[in-house]
């Protein structure tokens, strides 16, 4: 089975996430695009909603899309969330031959060099980068060098090998963020059409983010 992973806090999941998840699943032709909520440090979770609630919202958002899967692999593991551990775990499930894609926004790519064992990520997966307004790539330094070394603009070539390349795709840029949704709720503003109706209902039923 070919798998793409799309990690995030999903606090809450919104249409910016879901639209690019659908586009990435089509573009990469994967059997599953797994959306993987990360665990948050206890102090951040105490201020926010629980991991179970983030997961429940994500599950309700993808319920009618068999290709999109809410995967609690990092929440189950608990503690600090290191992507490299998740990739190792998924590789054990799917073996070493199939392509594995790890999808992130450019805002996340530019922080990659602060991640645990970041230079080894390419041993396990391809990185697929979605654009977001207002973020630029670093022009020098270790991360910039790493990006240039691994960059591949040829999608068929990417699909032919199992890991090790970095691909920039042109998914739809929707200026929606979880921060903005949380702020709107605090101010008593509507959040309809920023996230699926099932998520809007869940948030209101559980008085989240107030
Ligand atoms: P917050 O506002 O709380 O920081 P967020 O909206 O950025 O949250 P995350 O859950 O942190 O959402 O993001 C998970 C992943 O989705 C990241 O790789 C991020 O780049 C990407 N992403 C989030 N929002 C969008 C969007 N509107 N368009 C494209 N990618 C997005």
């Amino acid at each position: 089975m070919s798998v793409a992973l799309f990690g995030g806090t999903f606090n809450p999941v919104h249409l910016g996430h879901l639209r690019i998840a659908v586009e990435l699943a089509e573009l990469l032709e994967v059997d599953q695009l797994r959306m993987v909520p990360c665990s948050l440090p206890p102090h951040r979770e105490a201020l926010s909603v629980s991991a179970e609630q983030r997961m429940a919202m994500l599950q309700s958002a993808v319920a009618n899309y068999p290709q999109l899967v809410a995967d609690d692999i990092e929440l189950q593991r608990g503690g600090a969330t290191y992507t490299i551990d998740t990739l190792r775990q998924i590789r054990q499930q799917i073996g070493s031959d199939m392509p594995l894609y790890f999808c992130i926004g450019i805002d996340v790519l530019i922080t990659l060099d602060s991640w645990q064992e970041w230079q080894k990520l390419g041993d396990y997966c391809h990185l697929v980068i979605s654009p977001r307004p207002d973020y630029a790539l670093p022009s020098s330094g270790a991360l910039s060098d790493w990006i240039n070394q691994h960059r591949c603009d040829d999608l068929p070539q990417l699909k032919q090998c199992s890991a090790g390349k970095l691909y920039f795709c042109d998914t739809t840029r929707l200026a929606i963020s979880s921060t903005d949704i949380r702020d709107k709720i605090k101010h008593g503003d509507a959040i309809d059409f920023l996230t699926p109706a099932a998520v809007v209902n869940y948030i209101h039923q559980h008085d989240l983010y107030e």
Side-chain angles (χ1 to χ4, degrees):
M1 139 143 35
S2 58
V3 172
L5 303 177
F6 181 28
T9 40
F10 303 121
N11 191 21
V13 64
H14 55 67
L15 295 186
H17 299 130
L18 293 162
R19 180 62 217 165
I20 63 171
V22 168
E23 291 183 17
L24 288 166
E26 278 183 340
L27 181 80
L28 301 170
E29 300 179 286
V30 287
D31 298 310
Q32 277 189 350
L33 185 136
R34 300 189 193 169
M35 300 180 74
V36 183
C38 60
S39 40
L40 290 174
H43 64 276
R44 271 189 68 190
E45 203 163 292
L47 294 172
S48 178
V49 307
S50 69
E52 290 73 23
Q53 288 174 321
R54 285 187 290 127
M55 185 67 189
M57 289 187 279
L58 187 55
Q59 273 166 335
S60 71
V62 300
N64 295 322
Y65 297 89
Q67 241 183 328
L68 304 187
V69 175
D71 186 343
D72 63 357
I73 185 168
E74 295 196 347
L75 303 179
Q76 291 291 342
R77 209 168 61 231
T81 300
Y82 295 125
T83 297
I84 195 88
D85 297 332
T86 305
L87 294 170
R88 286 179 177 134
Q89 219 175 323
I90 304 255
R91 270 291 174 210
Q92 281 177 357
Q93 294 170 8
I94 67 168
S96 55
D97 295 341
M98 292 302 283
L100 174 61
Y101 304 95
F102 187 67
C103 307
I104 53 178
I106 190 165
D107 56 313
V108 176
L109 175 67
I110 60 180
T111 68
L112 202 71
D113 52 354
S114 63
W115 291 21
Q116 187 89 351
E117 298 182 71
W118 68 276
Q119 280 151 319
K120 290 199 186 143
L121 293 170
D123 295 352
Y124 301 95
C125 65
H126 296 305
L127 287 181
V128 178
I129 314 302
S130 290
R132 271 187 104 172
D134 304 326
Y135 290 95
L137 289 176
S139 54
S140 62
L143 180 57
S144 166
D145 294 345
W146 192 83
I147 291 171
N148 292 331
Q149 261 166 32
H150 291 83
R151 185 166 181 164
C152 165
D153 295 329
D154 182 347
L155 188 58
Q157 195 193 339
L158 194 85
K159 290 178 182 173
Q160 272 164 24
C161 47
S162 60
K165 300 195 184 299
L166 185 142
Y167 181 76
F168 288 92
C169 58
D170 193 22
T171 41
T172 304
R173 296 161 173 79
L174 289 175
I176 301 175
S177 71
S178 303
T179 305
D180 180 47
I181 291 178
R182 296 193 300 271
D183 286 347
K184 281 197 163 48
I185 296 169
K186 276 207 184 68
H187 291 107
D189 297 336
I191 56 163
D192 303 82
F193 306 112
L194 293 173
T195 186
V199 177
V200 176
N201 291 339
Y202 187 98
I203 289 173
H204 291 323
Q205 268 164 18
H206 295 83
D207 301 322
L208 303 184
Y209 307 113
E210 285 180 359

